mmCIF file of all heavy atoms in Angstrom:
data_model
loop_
_atom_site.group_PDB
_atom_site.id
_atom_site.type_symbol
_atom_site.label_atom_id
_atom_site.label_comp_id
_atom_site.label_asym_id
_atom_site.label_seq_id
_atom_site.Cartn_x
_atom_site.Cartn_y
_atom_site.Cartn_z
ATOM 1 N N PRO A 51 110.254 -182.894 10.724
ATOM 2 C CA PRO A 51 111.451 -182.213 11.118
ATOM 3 C C PRO A 51 112.666 -182.935 10.642
ATOM 4 O O PRO A 51 112.714 -184.049 10.548
ATOM 5 C CB PRO A 51 111.397 -182.025 12.660
ATOM 6 C CG PRO A 51 110.007 -182.501 13.025
ATOM 7 C CD PRO A 51 109.527 -183.329 11.971
ATOM 8 N N ASP A 52 113.778 -182.211 10.458
ATOM 9 C CA ASP A 52 115.055 -182.739 10.012
ATOM 10 C C ASP A 52 115.626 -183.702 11.079
ATOM 11 O O ASP A 52 115.351 -183.408 12.243
ATOM 12 C CB ASP A 52 116.043 -181.675 9.771
ATOM 13 C CG ASP A 52 117.288 -182.143 8.932
ATOM 14 O OD1 ASP A 52 117.298 -183.286 8.515
ATOM 15 O OD2 ASP A 52 118.208 -181.371 8.759
ATOM 16 N N LEU A 53 116.294 -184.683 10.634
ATOM 17 C CA LEU A 53 116.903 -185.698 11.549
ATOM 18 C C LEU A 53 118.312 -185.915 10.889
ATOM 19 O O LEU A 53 118.370 -186.692 9.949
ATOM 20 C CB LEU A 53 116.074 -186.897 11.686
ATOM 21 C CG LEU A 53 116.576 -188.002 12.634
ATOM 22 C CD1 LEU A 53 116.614 -187.431 14.076
ATOM 23 C CD2 LEU A 53 115.702 -189.221 12.607
ATOM 24 N N TYR A 54 119.268 -185.371 11.407
ATOM 25 C CA TYR A 54 120.625 -185.392 10.842
ATOM 26 C C TYR A 54 121.648 -185.777 11.785
ATOM 27 O O TYR A 54 121.717 -185.241 12.970
ATOM 28 C CB TYR A 54 120.990 -183.965 10.205
ATOM 29 C CG TYR A 54 122.327 -183.933 9.557
ATOM 30 C CD1 TYR A 54 122.459 -184.385 8.212
ATOM 31 C CD2 TYR A 54 123.432 -183.425 10.253
ATOM 32 C CE1 TYR A 54 123.692 -184.371 7.591
ATOM 33 C CE2 TYR A 54 124.754 -183.461 9.607
ATOM 34 C CZ TYR A 54 124.815 -183.911 8.301
ATOM 35 O OH TYR A 54 126.069 -183.923 7.726
ATOM 36 N N PHE A 55 122.514 -186.710 11.447
ATOM 37 C CA PHE A 55 123.704 -187.143 12.244
ATOM 38 C C PHE A 55 124.869 -187.059 11.269
ATOM 39 O O PHE A 55 124.852 -187.763 10.305
ATOM 40 C CB PHE A 55 123.445 -188.472 12.813
ATOM 41 C CG PHE A 55 122.407 -188.597 13.830
ATOM 42 C CD1 PHE A 55 121.097 -189.043 13.436
ATOM 43 C CD2 PHE A 55 122.564 -188.180 15.117
ATOM 44 C CE1 PHE A 55 120.111 -189.113 14.354
ATOM 45 C CE2 PHE A 55 121.521 -188.207 16.034
ATOM 46 C CZ PHE A 55 120.328 -188.721 15.639
ATOM 47 N N PRO A 56 125.862 -186.250 11.665
ATOM 48 C CA PRO A 56 127.040 -186.093 10.716
ATOM 49 C C PRO A 56 127.690 -187.498 10.542
ATOM 50 O O PRO A 56 127.770 -188.318 11.382
ATOM 51 C CB PRO A 56 127.993 -185.267 11.526
ATOM 52 C CG PRO A 56 127.087 -184.512 12.554
ATOM 53 C CD PRO A 56 126.009 -185.459 12.817
ATOM 54 N N ASN A 57 128.264 -187.674 9.304
ATOM 55 C CA ASN A 57 128.991 -188.871 8.943
ATOM 56 C C ASN A 57 130.227 -188.327 8.334
ATOM 57 O O ASN A 57 130.283 -187.883 7.142
ATOM 58 C CB ASN A 57 128.174 -189.714 7.952
ATOM 59 C CG ASN A 57 128.831 -190.950 7.651
ATOM 60 O OD1 ASN A 57 130.100 -190.987 7.418
ATOM 61 N ND2 ASN A 57 128.060 -192.065 7.536
ATOM 62 N N ASP A 58 131.319 -188.434 8.994
ATOM 63 C CA ASP A 58 132.590 -187.857 8.480
ATOM 64 C C ASP A 58 133.145 -188.663 7.305
ATOM 65 O O ASP A 58 133.822 -188.131 6.426
ATOM 66 C CB ASP A 58 133.649 -187.816 9.576
ATOM 67 C CG ASP A 58 133.300 -186.829 10.652
ATOM 68 O OD1 ASP A 58 132.586 -185.844 10.394
ATOM 69 O OD2 ASP A 58 133.708 -187.076 11.818
ATOM 70 N N ASN A 59 132.803 -190.013 7.207
ATOM 71 C CA ASN A 59 133.329 -190.761 6.131
ATOM 72 C C ASN A 59 132.579 -190.473 4.813
ATOM 73 O O ASN A 59 133.157 -190.452 3.799
ATOM 74 C CB ASN A 59 133.140 -192.314 6.495
ATOM 75 C CG ASN A 59 134.052 -192.682 7.676
ATOM 76 O OD1 ASN A 59 135.141 -192.160 7.724
ATOM 77 N ND2 ASN A 59 133.609 -193.558 8.507
ATOM 78 N N THR A 60 131.264 -190.381 4.885
ATOM 79 C CA THR A 60 130.495 -190.097 3.728
ATOM 80 C C THR A 60 129.427 -189.078 4.133
ATOM 81 O O THR A 60 128.272 -189.490 4.519
ATOM 82 C CB THR A 60 129.790 -191.480 3.129
ATOM 83 O OG1 THR A 60 130.821 -192.453 3.089
ATOM 84 C CG2 THR A 60 129.199 -191.220 1.858
ATOM 85 N N PRO A 61 129.682 -187.804 3.975
ATOM 86 C CA PRO A 61 128.758 -186.786 4.455
ATOM 87 C C PRO A 61 127.324 -186.881 4.020
ATOM 88 O O PRO A 61 126.439 -186.624 4.745
ATOM 89 C CB PRO A 61 129.442 -185.434 4.034
ATOM 90 C CG PRO A 61 130.847 -185.798 3.891
ATOM 91 C CD PRO A 61 130.811 -187.272 3.434
ATOM 92 N N ARG A 62 127.117 -187.345 2.776
ATOM 93 C CA ARG A 62 125.752 -187.328 2.282
ATOM 94 C C ARG A 62 124.815 -188.377 3.053
ATOM 95 O O ARG A 62 123.615 -188.277 3.119
ATOM 96 C CB ARG A 62 125.702 -187.780 0.822
ATOM 97 C CG ARG A 62 126.082 -189.173 0.486
ATOM 98 C CD ARG A 62 126.036 -189.405 -1.091
ATOM 99 N NE ARG A 62 126.316 -190.802 -1.374
ATOM 100 C CZ ARG A 62 125.391 -191.624 -1.657
ATOM 101 N NH1 ARG A 62 124.145 -191.405 -1.556
ATOM 102 N NH2 ARG A 62 125.790 -192.920 -1.927
#
Side-chain angles (χ1 to χ4, degrees):
D52 195 5
L53 185 60
Y54 180 83
F55 294 98
N57 183 321
D58 294 332
N59 294 324
T60 311
R62 71 182 183 97

